[in-house]
Amino acid sequence: MKHEEWKKISRIMSKRSLWMVHFCTGCGAMEMPPVMTSRYDMERFGIFAMATPRQADVFLVTGYLAVKTLKRVVQVYEQMRDPKYVIGFGSCTINGGMYWDSYNTIKDLSKYIPVDVYIAGCMPRPEAIIDSFLKLMDMIDKGEAIGWQKYRKYYDQYKRNQKMAFEYRLDEVKPIKEDDKNES
Amino acid sequence: MVMEIVDILEKILILAGMVTLGFAIGMLFNGIARKVSARIQNRVGPPVYQGFIDVFKLFGKKTNISHGWIFDLAALFSVSGIALAFLFLPVAGYSMLSTDGDLFLILYLLAIPALGFALGAGASGNPNAAVGVMRALMSMLAYELPLVMVMVAMMVYYNTTSLANIVAAQANMQWAFFIPIFFIGALVADMALQGMLMEKPFDIPIAPHEIATGPMVEFGGKHLGALMLYKMMGTVVETTLFVDLFLGGGVVLSVAQYGWLAYLVNFAVWFVLILIVFLIAVMIDNVLPRFRIEQALKFYWKYDALIAIFILIWIFAGVKI
C-alpha cells in the first residue's frame, strides 16, 4: 500500500516535469520553436528542452528517419534514463508519410523503439504538439506510458528489427508480438 | 552528561533544519527565476514550485548510469561542500558552526564544491565536460580576483577578517552599501556574483547551446538531482555572502533585546534581501548574451579588478592619513 502511494507521488512529479530531447530529423523541428517560445509557451506545463539525452525524460522524434538516422535514434534512446517516453511526431513516424515507398526510410517507428504517443499530421500544428504532451501526462498519471518497460521485455524483437533495418532488409521487419499482460 | 547529549542533539536538529531551509529556499529561487524570466519574455512560465518538482522527479528516476566511484562521490562532494559553506556563513546574523565566520575559510569552502563538480565532470570522460570544467576554472580565476580585492578592502576598513564582525559593525542600518567607496565595491562584487551564479553574460561553463551544459553533460537521474541541489543551494550561499558583506546580513533587531522575535524578523529581512540580489542577477541574465571565455577574463581583470585596485588604494590611504 505504501509502495503504491509512493509510486503515485513519483508519477505526479514526473508528469509535471518532462524534460525533452528533440531529435531534429526532417521538417518537424520547424514546429518546435513556436511551441517553446512566447506564443505557445510549453514551459508552463513544466516541459523544458534539455541539451543531452542523459538528462531527458521525453524523446521527440520529429519527422522521417533514414536508416542512418535510425542508428543515432536508437543510440540516443538507449542513453536516456528510465522512465523514458517517446513521442512520434508527424505522419512520417507512423507510416512513412510521403516517404512511404522510399528504399532507405523506415516506415513505422514503433517497430524499432516503443512509442508512447503519436501525433498525426503533416505538419502537426503547435496546438497538436501541446495536446500530445497533455495526453502523455494523462497516460503517465494512469500508469499507461510503459514503453520503456516494453523495450526491456521485448528487447530481442526490437534488436532483431533494428538489425534488419541496419542491413537494409526492411521487408523482413516484423511488428512486435506482445503478451496479453502488460503491468506498469 | 544527559544535558550535554541533549545539547548536542538540539544543535544537530538546528543544523539539519538550517540545511533543509537552505535547500528549500534554493529550490524556490529556481522556480522564481524561471517565472521571472518567463514574464520578461512575455510568457506564462512554470509554477514557482517547479524547482521542487524537478528535483524530486530526478531523485525518482529508475536507472542511474555511473562512470565509476569518483563520478558517484563527486555529486555528494558538491552537495555536502555547499551545505558546509552555508553553515559557516552568518545567516541573518546567526552563524551555525563558527561564531567568527572567517572570510578566508569561507572562500576556501566555496572552492570545495566547485572542485567536486570538476572531479565528477572529469570522471565522465566526455569532451564537452572537459571543455566546461576548463571554462569553469578559468571563470573562477577571473571573478575571484576583483571579489577578493574588495573583500580585503573591507577587512582593512573594518579591521577584522571575521564576517560576523563585519555584519555586527553594520548593525542599525550602517550598511557598507551606503558608504560611497563601498557602494562602488558592491557594484564590483555584484559583477563577480554574476559570474559565481553562472548567469549570463558569464554562463560560459554551462552554455547549453554550445557545449551541452558543459560539466553536467553526462549527469542524469540522481546524480543530476544532487548537482541541481548544489547549484540551487549555491545561489543561496553566494547571495548570502553578498548580503553579509554589503547589506548588513539582514540584521535589523538585536537578539539580546527582542529574543525569538528578532530571529523571525531577521530571517524574513535576510530572505527579502537575498531575493532582491538574486532577482537583479536574473534580470541581467535575461537581457544580455553570453561572453566568450577570454572576453569574461578581460572584463573581470581589466575593468572590475582595476576598480577594485582603486578601492583598495583608497582604503589603504584613508587608513594611513
Side-chain angles (χ1 to χ4, degrees), chain B residues 69-310:
Chain B
W69 59 274
I70 294 181
F71 186 81
D72 291 337
L73 283 183
L76 279 178
F77 202 70
S78 296
V79 175
S80 47
I82 204 78
L84 196 65
F86 183 64
L87 292 178
F88 269 97
L89 274 178
V91 176
Y94 177 59
S95 315
M96 257 62 60
L97 279 183
S98 142
T99 46
D100 291 336
D102 190 82
L103 265 174
F104 291 111
L105 180 66
I106 286 165
L107 273 179
Y108 274 113
L109 283 179
L110 278 178
I112 289 177
L115 284 180
F117 198 43
L119 270 179
S124 73
N126 191 306
N128 278 329
V131 174
V133 166
M134 197 274 285
R135 289 177 175 197
L137 294 179
M138 281 282 272
S139 65
M140 235 169 95
L141 196 71
Y143 68 68
E144 278 202 339
L145 185 71
L147 185 69
V148 169
M149 279 201 278
V150 171
M151 278 183 183
V152 168
M154 296 201 78
M155 288 175 208
V156 173
Y157 184 83
Y158 287 108
N159 202 16
T160 174
T161 59
S162 153
L163 197 52
N165 287 353
I166 291 178
V167 170
Q170 299 180 36
N172 303 320
M173 298 296 279
Q174 305 259 315
W175 292 356
F177 190 68
F178 297 138
I179 303 168
I181 191 72
F182 284 129
F183 175 74
I184 305 170
L187 294 183
V188 169
D190 192 57
M191 282 300 105
L193 186 73
Q194 198 77 14
M196 270 170 120
L197 292 172
M198 290 188 197
E199 302 278 10
K200 286 192 197 85
F202 305 111
D203 69 336
I204 321 155
I206 303 293
H209 316 99
E210 281 175 54
I211 50 171
T213 64
M216 295 196 285
V217 65
E218 284 289 325
F219 285 84
K222 291 183 176 68
H223 298 92
L224 185 63
L227 275 196
M228 274 191 82
L229 275 182
Y230 150 63
K231 203 162 168 273
M232 288 161 172
M233 182 75 135
T235 60
V236 179
V237 168
E238 284 144 15
T239 48
T240 304
L241 181 64
F242 183 85
V243 167
D244 277 349
L245 280 175
F246 296 103
L247 303 176
V251 183
V252 284
L253 298 179
S254 86
V255 177
Q257 211 174 343
Y258 292 93
W260 62 271
L261 182 72
Y263 280 123
L264 218 63
V265 173
N266 288 349
F267 268 94
V269 172
W270 162 75
F271 178 76
V272 171
L273 286 177
I274 60 171
L275 183 60
I276 290 169
V277 171
F278 181 60
L279 281 184
I280 290 170
V282 170
M283 284 173 188
I284 296 173
D285 174 71
N286 268 292
V287 290
L288 289 178
R290 185 184 305 127
F291 272 156
R292 287 197 306 274
I293 184 72
E294 73 267 19
Q295 286 171 321
L297 203 70
K298 208 183 206 174
F299 175 85
Y300 277 129
W301 283 18
K302 205 169 175 184
Y303 305 106
D304 237 24
L306 210 64
I307 300 170
I309 288 173
F310 167 72

Side-chain angles (χ1 to χ4, degrees), chain B residues 39-93:
Chain B
R39 292 312 296 154
I40 290 171
Q41 295 161 8
N42 203 9
R43 290 187 286 126
V44 179
V48 284
Y49 50 85
Q50 187 67 42
F52 292 91
I53 300 180
D54 284 349
V55 168
F56 281 112
K57 178 210 69 178
L58 283 174
F59 279 106
K61 291 287 254 183
K62 293 250 170 24
T63 49
N64 297 284
I65 300 159
S66 172
H67 295 267
W69 59 274
I70 294 181
F71 186 81
D72 291 337
L73 283 183
L76 279 178
F77 202 70
S78 296
V79 175
S80 47
I82 204 78
L84 196 65
F86 183 64
L87 292 178
F88 269 97
L89 274 178
V91 176

